[in-house]
Amino acid sequence: MKKIAVLTSGGDSPGMNAAVRAVVRKAIYNNIEVYGVYQGYQGLINDDIHKLELGSVGDTIQRGGTFLYSARCPEFKEPEVRQKGIANLRKHGIEGLVVIGGDGSYRGAQRISEECTEIQTVGIPGTIDNDINGTDFTIGFDTALNTIIESVDKIRDTASSHARTFIIEVMGRDCGDLALWAGLSVGAETIIVPEVETDIKEVAERIDHGIKRGKKHSIVMVAEGCMTGEACAQELSKYVNVDARVSVLGHIQRGGSPTGQDRVLASRLGGHAIDLLMQGETARGVGIRDNVLRSTPFDEIFRADEHQFDYNIYELTKELSI
Ligand code: ADP
């Protein structure tokens, strides 16, 4: 292994820069040249590929977003478009490609390794949603979680001053982890996630019960993939007379300087990606399970039901918010 490339793709997440830095530094430490592909798969097609040096990743570990930029590139699903990208990788003599992103980005990497067997591919899970199989945590999840906590703590101040119910809509299309972990962390009365069927009448009864026993405010945490905050407020108003306000946290959740957890995770996963490439592995995603680094074939990662929603945390949140 003499030359590799790295790209970030799909939705950005805090800690992607720390992962790129780890890939670049560990590769160079092992006498491997590294190229940065700018704008994800779009840059691969456009040959936006440039050599990275040790200094290229200086002063990046603390920055949110991705200095390599990310882009959605639906055309990359077309085999003939992918061939252009593969031709560019070959032109630069690249033997290994590290893709930092979500499921969709992994699919692009898998296609490359199928269509060009001499190029090894490794995926690093970068998304705030924590929705990738084969790892307990994705890069960016912890930062987003802390951003939500910080925001809700502020909302809580105004909620308790006015004895209000606040409905907080957080990101998470198919995965309720952000709502779950944030809900527990802020003492939410109710967490509404795609993994658990929620009876809104029961939620209303919980809020009503809380008001009757003198609670100053209630927090309902809802994952966007389940229902919008507005829809939740409308449903609740059918059963309980509360002054419910909705806060949609939106893109604020994707930004900011990565937390210590995310920097450590990104650095470890980035380093492990280089280990795999040097061992000749391909078409695998790196991850962490019970604090041990691991890797999983892309095929297994795409099997939908492996990432386990933690029902124990869900139940605990209920028990703690009576
Ligand atoms: P994420 O990686 O966060 O899941 P997307 O699903 O948007 O984000 O995927 C990012 C990019 O990966 C897409 O814009 C496209 O370039 C590429 N991609 C997604 N799905 C495929 C696929 N089935 N085949 C090839 N490339 C894909």
Side-chain angles (χ1 to χ4, degrees):
M1 178 72 47
K2 287 274 170 284
K3 273 188 198 179
I4 65 161
V6 55
L7 62 80
T8 51
S9 166
D12 65 306
S13 70
M16 279 184 160
N17 282 327
V20 174
R21 173 182 176 272
V23 166
V24 171
R25 295 262 167 103
K26 179 142 180 176
I28 294 176
Y29 180 84
N30 287 286
N31 299 314
I32 299 169
E33 273 183 40
V34 191
Y35 286 74
V37 181
Y38 289 74
Q39 312 270 6
Y41 290 119
Q42 191 64 52
L44 203 56
I45 301 164
N46 297 345
D47 195 18
D48 199 354
I49 302 172
H50 307 275
K51 192 162 178 224
L52 298 174
E53 308 290 352
L54 287 173
S56 312
V57 288
D59 199 27
T60 60
I61 196 167
Q62 79 282 18
R63 292 182 201 281
T66 160
F67 82 91
L68 287 178
Y69 303 104
S70 188
R72 309 255 182 213
C73 177
E75 314 89 274
F76 205 70
K77 292 179 186 166
E78 314 295 330
E80 54 289 359
V81 174
R82 278 199 301 276
Q83 279 309 314
K84 273 170 95 175
I86 290 170
N88 287 328
L89 287 173
R90 283 199 176 113
K91 188 176 88 182
H92 292 279
I94 285 157
E95 300 152 284
L97 176 67
V98 178
V99 170
I100 305 169
D103 260 49
S105 305
Y106 280 15
R107 285 182 196 279
Q110 189 188 38
R111 295 277 167 271
I112 291 173
S113 58
E114 283 165 0
E115 289 159 14
C116 178
T117 47
E118 74 264 26
I119 297 176
Q120 295 165 234
T121 59
V122 172
I124 299 180
T127 163
I128 64 165
D129 288 352
N130 210 34
D131 60 351
I132 300 184
N133 294 330
T135 188
D136 287 344
F137 297 106
T138 58
I139 298 166
F141 173 70
D142 188 64
T143 307
L145 170 63
N146 279 283
T147 302
I148 296 169
I149 293 170
E150 216 175 286
S151 309
V152 177
D153 285 350
K154 288 178 180 151
I155 288 168
R156 199 186 246 285
D157 290 343
T158 166
S160 51
S161 304
H162 296 276
R164 272 183 183 141
T165 294
F166 260 90
I167 298 165
I168 316 286
E169 181 190 315
V170 299
M171 284 187 170
R173 276 168 300 177
D174 307 310
C175 177
D177 279 15
L178 273 177
L180 176 70
W181 286 62
L184 178 63
S185 305
V186 303
E189 269 59 37
T190 302
I191 296 170
I192 301 178
V193 288
E195 292 87 348
V196 183
E197 205 168 314
T198 304
D199 178 357
I200 294 289
K201 189 160 173 254
E202 196 190 301
V203 175
E205 283 164 5
R206 287 171 75 83
I207 293 170
D208 202 36
H209 173 77
I211 293 168
K212 286 186 178 136
R213 78 161 178 83
K215 271 197 172 186
K216 290 272 186 297
H217 59 255
S218 304
I219 305 271
V220 176
M221 191 68 71
V222 53
E224 63 176 359
C226 209
M227 68 194 323
T228 65
E230 276 303 334
C232 180
Q234 277 185 12
E235 283 297 305
L236 277 176
S237 69
K238 291 181 188 164
Y239 304 105
V240 64
N241 184 22
V242 287
D243 185 14
R245 298 296 158 99
V246 177
S247 258
V248 181
L249 296 187
H251 280 87
I252 190 175
Q253 297 163 88
R254 283 236 188 111
S257 180
T259 58
Q261 286 274 16
D262 272 331
R263 294 180 199 198
V264 171
L265 179 65
S267 303
R268 292 178 75 188
L269 294 181
H272 195 48
I274 299 301
D275 289 335
L276 287 185
L277 290 178
M278 290 195 302
Q279 288 159 14
E281 296 286 356
T282 188
R284 296 180 83 89
V286 293
I288 194 158
R289 167 102 5 117
D290 299 330
N291 205 25
V292 177
L293 292 170
R294 68 207 295 271
S295 73
T296 312
F298 284 144
D299 277 336
E300 272 180 48
I301 288 175
F302 298 145
R303 272 181 225 141
D305 55 357
E306 203 237 335
H307 181 81
Q308 293 295 320
F309 181 77
D310 197 327
Y311 292 95
N312 290 329
I313 297 182
Y314 182 81
E315 283 307 316
L316 178 65
T317 309
K318 271 190 158 176
E319 289 163 7
L320 300 186
S321 67
I322 44 167

